[in-house]
């Protein structure tokens, strides 16, 4: 009955943890696009694209950081820019783990 439905609903739900840096990054990216878009796309149609970085453990998703996508003239994500941002994330993670003493 009702108890079974509530248990099913709970077991199928996701828990999403969003770090404040992600919200700041998204807001910053949108604001920069809006400011540099003067006379361009209708502000109500302005869209930004990016990458969310985090981890999933079971039904919990933790989003720790993000970065914007740089679009090329064909409105596709720049692979060079994407590779550079991913490399920066890897370097940062290594520095962070070294700082915490988790790796040598």
């Amino acid at each position: 009955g009702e108890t079974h439905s509530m248990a099913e609903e709970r077991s199928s739900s996701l828990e999403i943890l969003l770090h404040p840096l992600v919200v700041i990054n998204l807001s910053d990216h949108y604001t920069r696009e809006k400011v540099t878009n003067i006379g361009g796309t209708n502000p109500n149609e302005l869209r930004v694209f990016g990458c969310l970085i985090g981890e999933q453990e079971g039904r919990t998703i933790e989003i720790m950081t993000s970065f914007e996508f740089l679009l090329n003239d064909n409105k596709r994500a720049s692979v060079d820019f994407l590779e550079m941002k991913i490399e920066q994330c890897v370097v940062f993670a290594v520095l962070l783990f070294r700082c915490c003493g988790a790796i040598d």
Side-chain angles (χ1 to χ4, degrees):
E2 188 175 323
T3 307
H4 181 68
S5 298
M6 290 172 54
E8 271 184 21
E9 185 178 315
R10 262 187 263 128
S11 68
S12 67
S13 65
L14 289 175
E15 178 181 19
I16 300 187
L17 307 174
L18 186 64
H19 287 235
L21 179 59
V22 177
V23 176
I24 292 168
N25 287 345
L26 292 169
S27 175
D28 176 63
H29 182 48
Y30 179 80
T31 301
R32 282 186 285 118
E33 287 296 317
K34 190 172 181 178
V35 167
T36 60
N37 185 47
I38 297 172
T41 306
N42 177 342
N44 295 329
E45 297 174 5
L46 183 64
R47 297 187 304 170
V48 294
F49 300 90
C51 179
L52 302 175
I53 299 175
E55 65 183 5
Q56 179 177 355
E57 187 173 317
R59 305 289 298 162
T60 300
I61 299 171
E62 183 175 9
I63 303 169
M64 296 169 219
T65 191
S66 64
F67 60 84
E68 73 279 8
F69 278 168
L70 179 64
L71 301 181
N72 61 26
D73 294 336
N74 298 333
K75 301 292 184 197
R76 295 189 181 258
S78 166
V79 173
D80 293 336
F81 183 79
L82 182 58
E83 288 173 347
M84 178 195 66
K85 294 302 261 185
I86 291 171
E87 179 63 27
Q88 288 175 347
C89 288
V90 169
V91 168
F92 176 76
V94 168
L95 291 173
L96 181 65
F97 286 127
R98 282 188 181 148
C99 179
C100 298
I103 62 173
D104 292 328

